[in-house]
Amino acid sequence: MARVQIADLVADAFGPSGAHRSEILAAAVAGGGSPELLAELERLPDRTFATMRDLWDHLPDVPIRLEP
């Protein structure tokens, strides 16, 4: 799992006022996110994130891309 995978799944959850954790999780579920990815997102704090970039502060161990 990498940040680009997360971004692909949850980008649509973000609107002008950001996205709440529950909206991010719902987008990941709807997009067919893996159990591993969903478990990682469930660790996010119960709050609204202004931008997708704000997620990375709470997911520091998730790499940007997977190495081939």
Side-chain angles (χ1 to χ4, degrees):
M1 172 188 51
R3 291 180 184 187
V4 292
Q5 292 171 301
I6 293 172
D8 286 344
L9 285 174
V10 305
D12 290 342
F14 286 85
S17 60
H20 189 270
R21 175 184 178 263
S22 60
E23 295 169 311
I24 294 166
L25 286 167
V29 168
S34 69
E36 175 190 18
L37 184 141
L38 297 175
E40 196 69 37
L41 293 177
E42 286 174 355
R43 294 183 15 206
L44 292 171
D46 187 20
R47 58 169 272 222
T48 297
F49 295 87
T51 68
M52 193 178 324
R53 182 177 214 126
D54 294 337
L55 297 178
W56 311 142
D57 292 337
H58 300 280
L59 302 169
D61 297 330
V62 176
I64 295 171
R65 294 189 183 338
L66 294 177
E67 296 298 321

